[in-house]
Amino acid sequence: MKLAFGLQTYAFFYLGFLYLPVLFLPLFSFNDGTIVAFPIKGWTLEWYRQLGSQDTLIQALVNSLLVGAVSAMLSTAMGLFAARAYVRYRFRGKRISEGLVMLPLVVPGIIVASSMLVLFISMGLKPSLTAVILGHTFLALPFAVAIMKSAFDDFDVSLEEAALDLGSTVLETFRRVTLPIVAPGIVSSLLVTFTVSFDEFVLAFFLSGNEPTLPVYIWSQIRFPAKLPNTLALGSLLLLASVLLLVIAEFFRRRSSKSLV
Amino acid sequence: MNLRSEGAKGVALSAPATVYVGFLVAAPLLILVAYSMWTQTYVDIDRTPTLANYREAFTDPLVRHLMIRSILIAAAVTVVTVALAYPIAYFIAIRAQKKTLWLLLITIPFWSSYLLRVFAWKLILGFNGVLNSALLALGLIDEPLTFLLYNEFAVVLTLAHAWAPFAILPIFVSIQKIDPSLLEAATDLGSSRIESFLRVTLPLTLPGIIAACLVIFIPTVGDYVTPSLVGGSDGKMIANLIQVQFGAANNWPLGATLSLLAMLSVGFVAIVFVLSANGFGRRIR
């Protein structure tokens, strides 16, 4: 079949196109030269070694970890409750609510960033990590809701009913039956929302003030050609971290849907 | 409130998320509207209502130019991304043996930082960059290609890469949903493969295509990172101008006005698109 063969060839080329940028970054981070071009001069770990001694970088990393962790917890907590409501109950305004929480996915970044900056300033909240956390929680919420919805989707309601019939209180049932069963979903949601925050740039650029997160720090470094090799090394580490986190998240998500048979 | 009733439970559980998103969508919008009618006087804001910002935005040729360019670039990105993605979605849904593996392979690169991916494209497309040096070394070109970076081409290419999974996934889902017996019926009734694709598959996947177009078009109009890094002066978009107002130019009221106008233009184009796409869908069915 000629068509099938053509499609398959195209698919492989397309995959190459998708992976091109994420593979070149790590490749040239080991290059023993400051210009990003072929041929590669030699292999070195020097650029990675230099990263450890840059204090502003370490501070930016700490900021990013903090923002990521708090936004992940806030968005997952809200997503957990909302997803349970969407999957389990019928109530007035459900469709509007479900649509609304997905809105952050499609609003243009610059509009969210500029309008939040204006809002926070009007409310007396100066650009800071707190402002970034509030913004990232907003952006990460749709991911948390979507993941928690799929975790609750195949959840067997009769387990909860059994616990209630056997005399557990509502809280006990939630803590000892519901929570353990959806735990893999929660872990998956925490990891995904953390990654969303960890990689986010435009909002942090507007809202972080003089407390840069890692992407904002990278943005400030991109302008200096002399810093290029270090930026490549740092970028490669970030790529690796994101992919690892997501693979672990996927593992947990699959485990949650398997355990619900 | 009686928490035992199902409705009350649902409302109570979904309230934090709904209120949070609702507040952070509505409140900034209202304040943006207010700001757009104020005036910047050095470090202070003059709160006398005026339409001067709108007048400036509508008469300034640069604003009009950047707004139109942003919409055209976003439209080009949408068309290119969807056109490149459709065959892949088709391949995965119909032909591929390991669907989940393919879907995973396609999404993995997009879980990395968007900023870094755009930055990587800048390095790949540059005058002394990866692509030019590779082509030179292979002897395929004699001097570096200059049309690669700092223009609309670079912006469209980078964004078509960035939004690929957002096109592939909805189209994949809509192809996956098609009942194979419909295609068999078309073949039995004498349709050629192209005919049955055009008259069965394509119309049935139209909702997926429309969803993909919206999800790509709307955020792309307001993209900041890509035009800044790979756009050069020919590829600047409205987001760059908005950022300048909130940064170096320190004219927040004008920035607020531009944000609002960008949002309205996007909304208008999106609505016109959905209406005409649905009309088109009815015609070909």
Side-chain angles (χ1 to χ4, degrees):
Chain A
M1 286 255 290
K2 254 160 56 193
L3 180 75
F5 180 71
L7 261 181
Q8 183 149 17
T9 318
Y10 175 75
F12 280 111
F13 270 104
Y14 193 84
L15 215 53
F17 165 66
L18 293 186
Y19 277 84
L20 191 68
V22 283
L23 291 182
F24 271 118
L25 224 51
L27 178 67
F28 282 96
S29 70
F30 297 112
N31 183 17
D32 194 3
T34 49
I35 296 169
V36 182
F38 286 114
I40 288 186
K41 297 240 162 44
W43 305 101
T44 178
L45 287 172
E46 176 62 16
W47 313 122
Y48 286 90
R49 209 183 49 73
Q50 288 175 3
L51 290 180
S53 57
Q54 293 171 13
D55 293 341
T56 40
L57 163 68
I58 306 293
Q59 187 54 49
L61 174 67
V62 172
N63 289 347
S64 267
L65 291 174
L66 180 73
V67 169
V70 179
S71 324
M73 284 189 276
L74 287 175
S75 55
T76 300
M78 284 193 280
L80 169 73
F81 292 125
R84 185 177 159 81
Y86 300 146
V87 174
R88 279 288 304 280
Y89 304 114
R90 271 176 304 171
F91 56 95
R92 195 183 289 180
K94 179 171 160 177
R95 285 193 51 173
I96 296 173
S97 168
E98 274 193 273
L100 187 69
V101 295
M102 287 294 151
L103 206 57
L105 275 185
V106 292
V107 198
I110 192 83
I111 291 173
V112 179
S114 60
S115 65
M116 274 196 192
L117 175 67
V118 173
L119 172 76
F120 289 157
I121 292 280
S122 311
M123 288 166 50
L125 175 63
K126 290 247 161 56
S128 59
L129 290 184
T130 314
V132 182
I133 288 173
L134 292 174
H136 280 181
T137 304
F138 174 80
L139 285 187
L141 193 58
F143 294 90
V145 171
I147 293 171
M148 292 318 299
K149 251 159 103 173
S150 75
F152 276 116
D153 245 341
D154 322 83
F155 180 85
D156 191 349
V157 188
S158 57
L159 290 173
E160 277 183 352
E161 285 166 356
L164 289 170
D165 288 347
L166 292 169
S168 290
T169 64
V170 174
L171 261 175
E172 257 179 333
T173 310
F174 183 74
R175 197 170 59 80
R176 301 191 52 182
V177 178
T178 319
L179 218 48
I181 294 179
V182 295
I186 295 176
V187 175
S188 169
S189 166
L190 284 172
L191 292 172
V192 169
T193 49
F194 176 85
T195 314
V196 168
S197 160
F198 201 64
D199 287 340
E200 201 282 335
F201 167 67
V202 174
L203 243 155
F205 182 49
F206 270 73
L207 298 177
S208 60
N210 52 10
E211 300 174 285
T213 60
L214 215 41
V216 178
Y217 172 82
I218 292 177
W219 179 259
S220 70
Q221 299 297 299
I222 284 178
R223 273 177 287 163
F224 306 113
K227 294 278 182 65
L228 193 58
N230 291 126
T231 313
L232 285 177
L234 177 58
S236 308
L237 289 178
L238 272 183
L239 287 182
L240 189 68
S242 308
V243 172
L244 272 183
L245 282 174
L246 263 300
V247 170
I248 299 171
E250 181 67 14
F251 169 78
F252 274 101
R253 203 183 58 80
R254 296 226 171 144
R255 221 181 69 174
S256 83
S257 40
K258 255 182 223 145
S259 67
L260 298 168
V261 180
Chain B
M1 191 158 60
N2 177 12
L3 274 178
R4 254 161 244 181
S5 90
E6 197 177 287
K9 273 184 193 157
V11 171
L13 282 173
S14 63
T18 314
V19 171
Y20 191 75
V21 174
F23 176 75
L24 282 184
V25 167
L29 212 60
L30 292 176
I31 294 183
L32 223 47
V33 172
Y35 255 88
S36 74
M37 291 191 281
W38 294 342
T39 320
Q40 186 92 37
T41 48
Y42 297 105
V43 287
D44 282 329
I45 299 280
D46 176 4
R47 290 196 160 80
T48 333
T50 165
L51 289 175
N53 292 314
Y54 289 94
R55 214 169 298 133
E56 188 177 343
F58 278 112
T59 50
D60 187 345
L62 179 68
V63 173
R64 196 178 322 136
H65 183 64
L66 286 181
M67 197 75 89
I68 291 173
R69 185 197 273 160
S70 302
I71 288 175
L72 289 180
I73 286 183
V77 170
T78 309
V79 171
V80 170
T81 315
V82 170
L84 288 178
Y86 199 100
I88 296 295
Y90 188 83
F91 169 75
I92 299 175
I94 308 272
R95 303 260 170 224
Q97 305 286 321
K98 295 177 172 153
K99 291 191 198 336
T100 359
L101 179 67
W102 272 96
L103 289 176
L104 196 66
L105 278 177
I106 275 167
T107 35
I108 284 174
F110 300 93
W111 283 108
S112 60
S113 159
Y114 172 59
L115 175 65
L116 287 173
R117 274 179 281 136
V118 179
F119 176 55
W121 276 113
K122 182 186 159 95
L123 298 176
I124 291 171
L125 299 174
F127 186 75
N128 291 316
V130 175
L131 194 58
N132 271 327
S133 62
L135 290 174
L136 279 172
L138 292 171
L140 291 173
I141 50 172
D142 296 325
E143 50 190 74
L145 305 169
T146 50
F147 66 84
L148 294 175
L149 191 60
Y150 299 135
N151 51 32
E152 288 105 328
F153 167 78
V155 175
V156 173
L157 177 74
T158 305
L159 286 168
H161 177 269
W163 290 102
F166 294 84
I168 297 172
L169 295 178
I171 297 174
F172 165 79
V173 171
S174 63
I175 297 178
Q176 188 89 331
K177 272 190 201 153
I178 296 177
D179 185 350
S181 58
L182 290 174
L183 292 167
E184 282 164 27
T187 314
D188 290 349
L189 293 169
S191 292
S192 71
R193 270 193 5 223
I194 295 171
E195 251 179 331
S196 67
F197 173 78
L198 287 176
R199 302 198 51 188
V200 180
T201 313
L202 197 59
L204 285 175
T205 51
L206 208 58
I209 297 176
I210 294 176
C213 287
L214 289 178
V215 167
I216 296 167
F217 177 78
I218 296 173
T220 302
V221 174
D223 192 72
Y224 173 74
V225 174
T226 299
S228 308
L229 285 183
V230 304
S233 53
D234 286 346
K236 286 275 178 295
M237 287 163 67
I238 193 72
N240 301 99
L241 190 61
I242 295 176
Q243 196 277 328
V244 168
Q245 303 309 320
F246 284 97
N250 193 28
N251 188 347
W252 286 28
L254 185 59
T257 313
L258 294 176
S259 276
L260 280 173
L261 289 177
M263 213 175 336
L264 288 175
S265 321
V266 173
F268 177 73
V269 175
I271 289 169
V272 170
F273 168 75
V274 171
L275 291 179
S276 47
N278 282 336
F280 175 72
R282 272 193 298 275
R283 274 234 324 273
I284 58 174
R285 210 161 284 167

